[in-house]
Amino acid sequence: MKHLQLLLMRSVLVTVLIFVSGIALADSIRLATTTSTYNSGLLDYLLNYYAQVSDTEVQVISVGTGKALRMGENGDVDLVMTHAPSAEARFVDQGFGIEARRVMYNDFVLVGPKEDAANVVGAQTVTDGLSLIAASNKRFISRGDDSGTHKKELQLWQHLGALPNFDGYLESGRGMGHSLQMASEMGAYAMTDRGTWLALKDKLELTLVLEGDPRLLNPYQVMLVNPKRHSHANINSAREFAQWLVSSAGQEAIGNFRINGEVLFVPSAK
């Protein structure tokens, strides 16, 4: 009887060890990326493709670009994919990131209430459009969250000579989806990436009022966290995923992603 109990205990122990070993061997990486890539549905779409060629689990943390880069600086993630070129350059120059690669681009657009009381539709450039909104003191919802979109918006206001200080200028402190919903409810203008706009526009009481200015180009890069600063980073698996994104297969997947037949992101790896 005791011999049988011993055999059973050994069997249970072996099963537990195999289970624990399986968990330990399971490979995963943490990716900090922007709300635009998540809200648009692009990330889920790409990860479904990646799962067909890799067993690595990609855990996505969807935040603004500023927070994504800070997570990379702190070693909280293994790689980042963001859209703020100046901030990304500092991230690499300061030794926090390595192997920056272009992945794709889309563009920003201005959206607003359908009556367009500021007459932005007639503007020739994005700065003209912003100037009309400010001069008429119409409501404008900024993300105000240090995201790539927020950084770009502030750069555009600075082209007018100063940061916005008119009464209609409000900050949501939220992601792009929440900010657009707020603009819709308040009858306000907003700047958004085209991908999130196309994904959500049918749910919003807003219309596109300005597009096409070259200054509204919105490029995305992927960067690995520097393992010399954070030795715990899963650098090999992170590199494999980054390389897939810029490979012909990853670029084709990005180019094929559409909503209602419209292309949201243009592959741009070199």
Side-chain angles (χ1 to χ4, degrees), residues 124-186:
Q124 298 300 309
T125 67
V126 62
T127 47
D128 289 343
L130 293 175
S131 181
L132 287 167
I133 295 169
S136 58
N137 198 28
K138 300 304 178 184
R139 287 177 176 167
F140 183 96
I141 304 299
S142 169
R143 285 180 58 167
D145 63 350
D146 196 34
S147 63
T149 302
H150 182 222
K151 291 176 186 292
K152 182 68 174 183
E153 178 219 316
L154 293 181
Q155 289 176 3
L156 294 170
W157 285 114
Q158 286 173 334
H159 280 297
L160 296 173
L163 294 178
N165 60 1
F166 59 100
D167 291 340
Y169 186 84
L170 304 171
E171 293 185 343
S172 71
R174 305 291 299 277
M176 197 69 255
H178 286 101
S179 298
L180 285 174
Q181 185 62 45
M182 186 175 173
S184 179
E185 292 171 357
M186 297 180 68

Side-chain angles (χ1 to χ4, degrees), residues 27-94:
D27 191 27
S28 67
I29 55 174
R30 289 166 60 85
L31 166 69
T33 189
T34 66
T35 58
S36 57
T37 59
Y38 183 77
N39 288 339
S40 65
L42 175 70
L43 251 296
D44 286 341
Y45 176 84
L46 293 180
L47 294 183
N48 284 334
Y49 273 89
Y50 191 60
Q52 297 174 22
V53 298
S54 174
D55 294 328
T56 299
E57 177 191 9
V58 182
Q59 300 173 2
V60 177
I61 299 98
S62 173
V63 291
T65 284
K67 188 171 182 179
L69 293 175
R70 287 193 294 274
M71 293 181 76
E73 291 176 8
N74 295 333
D76 297 328
V77 294
D78 302 295
L79 71 168
V80 299
M81 184 164 66
T82 52
H83 61 138
S86 296
E88 291 159 5
R90 288 193 298 272
F91 182 73
V92 173
D93 291 344
Q94 292 171 1

